[in-house]
mmCIF file of all heavy atoms in Angstrom:
data_model
loop_
_atom_site.group_PDB
_atom_site.id
_atom_site.type_symbol
_atom_site.label_atom_id
_atom_site.label_comp_id
_atom_site.label_asym_id
_atom_site.label_seq_id
_atom_site.Cartn_x
_atom_site.Cartn_y
_atom_site.Cartn_z
ATOM 1 N N GLU A 5 2.869 9.442 3.730
ATOM 2 C CA GLU A 5 3.886 10.278 4.364
ATOM 3 C C GLU A 5 5.130 10.409 3.480
ATOM 4 O O GLU A 5 5.970 11.285 3.710
ATOM 5 C CB GLU A 5 4.276 9.723 5.734
ATOM 6 C CG GLU A 5 4.857 8.320 5.717
ATOM 7 C CD GLU A 5 3.810 7.240 5.906
ATOM 8 O OE1 GLU A 5 2.618 7.532 5.618
ATOM 9 O OE2 GLU A 5 4.171 6.141 6.345
ATOM 10 N N LEU A 6 5.248 9.527 2.478
ATOM 11 C CA LEU A 6 6.379 9.622 1.550
ATOM 12 C C LEU A 6 6.133 10.648 0.459
ATOM 13 O O LEU A 6 7.046 10.954 -0.317
ATOM 14 C CB LEU A 6 6.642 8.253 0.905
ATOM 15 C CG LEU A 6 7.064 7.121 1.838
ATOM 16 C CD1 LEU A 6 7.215 5.838 1.033
ATOM 17 C CD2 LEU A 6 8.362 7.458 2.540
ATOM 18 N N ALA A 18 14.647 16.794 -11.416
ATOM 19 C CA ALA A 18 14.200 17.282 -12.724
ATOM 20 C C ALA A 18 14.883 18.585 -13.101
ATOM 21 O O ALA A 18 15.247 18.800 -14.256
ATOM 22 C CB ALA A 18 12.684 17.463 -12.724
ATOM 23 N N MET A 108 8.347 20.558 -18.704
ATOM 24 C CA MET A 108 8.435 19.549 -19.746
ATOM 25 C C MET A 108 7.709 19.971 -21.008
ATOM 26 O O MET A 108 8.084 19.560 -22.117
ATOM 27 C CB MET A 108 7.884 18.216 -19.233
ATOM 28 C CG MET A 108 8.783 17.540 -18.211
ATOM 29 S SD MET A 108 10.500 17.338 -18.770
ATOM 30 C CE MET A 108 10.289 16.281 -20.194
ATOM 31 N N TRP A 141 -2.743 14.843 -16.822
ATOM 32 C CA TRP A 141 -2.462 13.477 -16.399
ATOM 33 C C TRP A 141 -1.304 13.424 -15.413
ATOM 34 O O TRP A 141 -1.335 12.645 -14.452
ATOM 35 C CB TRP A 141 -2.169 12.607 -17.621
ATOM 36 C CG TRP A 141 -3.348 12.454 -18.528
ATOM 37 C CD1 TRP A 141 -4.660 12.756 -18.229
ATOM 38 C CD2 TRP A 141 -3.346 11.977 -19.863
ATOM 39 N NE1 TRP A 141 -5.473 12.499 -19.301
ATOM 40 C CE2 TRP A 141 -4.699 12.020 -20.328
ATOM 41 C CE3 TRP A 141 -2.363 11.544 -20.738
ATOM 42 C CZ2 TRP A 141 -5.052 11.616 -21.616
ATOM 43 C CZ3 TRP A 141 -2.712 11.138 -22.014
ATOM 44 C CH2 TRP A 141 -4.042 11.176 -22.444
ATOM 45 N N SER A 163 -10.156 9.250 -11.032
ATOM 46 C CA SER A 163 -9.415 10.499 -10.997
ATOM 47 C C SER A 163 -9.242 11.083 -12.394
ATOM 48 O O SER A 163 -9.459 12.278 -12.620
ATOM 49 C CB SER A 163 -8.049 10.280 -10.342
ATOM 50 O OG SER A 163 -7.259 11.444 -10.411
ATOM 51 N N LEU A 193 9.829 37.500 -30.822
ATOM 52 C CA LEU A 193 10.926 36.879 -30.087
ATOM 53 C C LEU A 193 12.088 36.540 -31.011
ATOM 54 O O LEU A 193 13.257 36.682 -30.643
ATOM 55 C CB LEU A 193 10.437 35.623 -29.363
ATOM 56 C CG LEU A 193 9.419 35.837 -28.233
ATOM 57 C CD1 LEU A 193 8.993 34.494 -27.639
ATOM 58 C CD2 LEU A 193 9.988 36.735 -27.140
ATOM 59 N N GLY A 194 11.772 36.089 -32.221
ATOM 60 C CA GLY A 194 12.824 35.777 -33.176
ATOM 61 C C GLY A 194 13.611 37.005 -33.592
ATOM 62 O O GLY A 194 14.839 36.945 -33.755
#
Side-chain angles (χ1 to χ4, degrees):
E5 60 268 23
L6 297 177
M108 289 307 298
W141 295 345
S163 174
L193 294 178

